[in-house]
Amino acid sequence: MSDYKCYMRRVDIAGQPEMDLEKNFKGLIYKEFTGLDSYGKIKSVYTEEFAETDELQVYQNPTPIRENTDLTFTCIFTGNDRRNVYHSFVDFISKGKIQYWDNIRNRKVTFILIEAIEPSDDKLYGSTPYIIASFKLKNIKGQTDALEI
């Protein structure tokens, strides 16, 4: 997974630094991010039926406005300092609007943390202790956007 890079940045305050997740949070390992390909239901459409016609009258905004979608970011924290790294990451992701992007999908998404976080108890992989945490997020636009490269 060395070629795969995940980034986050707080975007509701200008000038916030880009965070390479596995570099800036030593011991964090990306596991999965679900919901990135989901599109929310279009809510910028108004339909009306009339008795005089069998055709549905449709009024639609030229730019679709979508309902928010749910995302889940799951990662693993390893090493002797895993608890401190976990708490630092929770502190980071809990504040404001966060934008995520990676170098595989070339898509970006802006989200907020909305649910409680319940990390796993310490587990062992061989002799390496780790914890797993899933973060329930809300995509504030209802879709992802192309990443300008």
Side-chain angles (χ1 to χ4, degrees):
M1 198 86 78
S2 61
D3 294 32
Y4 190 83
K5 295 288 187 182
C6 312
Y7 302 94
M8 287 187 186
R9 175 184 338 176
R10 186 166 175 194
V11 293
D12 57 336
I13 297 177
Q16 294 297 301
E18 171 182 292
M19 307 289 264
D20 176 333
L21 296 184
E22 293 184 359
K23 182 178 175 186
N24 292 102
F25 297 97
K26 297 284 186 209
L28 182 151
I29 299 170
Y30 170 95
K31 185 172 186 280
E32 67 181 350
F33 205 147
T34 61
L36 288 175
D37 291 321
S38 299
Y39 284 84
K41 178 181 174 185
I42 295 177
K43 61 182 184 177
S44 58
V45 174
Y46 173 76
T47 61
E48 197 170 3
E49 295 181 40
F50 295 99
E52 299 84 24
T53 180
D54 60 352
E55 189 173 316
L56 187 65
Q57 297 298 305
V58 178
Y59 307 92
Q60 185 172 17
N61 188 331
T63 303
I65 308 298
R66 299 184 183 278
E67 290 182 359
N68 306 104
T69 57
D70 295 323
L71 307 165
T72 303
F73 179 71
T74 304
C75 55
I76 301 167
F77 298 89
T78 63
N80 293 333
D81 204 25
R82 66 192 169 283
R83 291 269 172 210
N84 290 332
V85 173
Y86 163 75
H87 291 295
S88 294
F89 184 72
V90 169
D91 186 53
F92 166 73
I93 204 168
S94 297
K95 297 177 182 172
K97 295 177 185 175
I98 307 290
Q99 188 173 75
Y100 168 90
W101 68 99
D102 58 45
N103 64 347
I104 299 296
R105 295 180 191 95
N106 292 321
R107 306 287 294 172
K108 62 183 176 183
V109 63
T110 303
F111 62 82
I112 57 171
L113 178 68
I114 57 166
E115 299 281 336
I117 306 158
E118 293 293 331
S120 69
D121 293 331
D122 280 301
K123 299 179 181 289
L124 286 176
Y125 180 74
S127 62
T128 305
Y130 67 94
I131 53 177
I132 298 175
S134 291
F135 300 86
K136 305 286 186 189
L137 312 165
K138 188 63 81 170
N139 179 344
I140 64 170
K141 286 184 66 180
Q143 66 185 45
T144 60
D145 293 315
L147 185 62
E148 296 88 25
I149 299 174

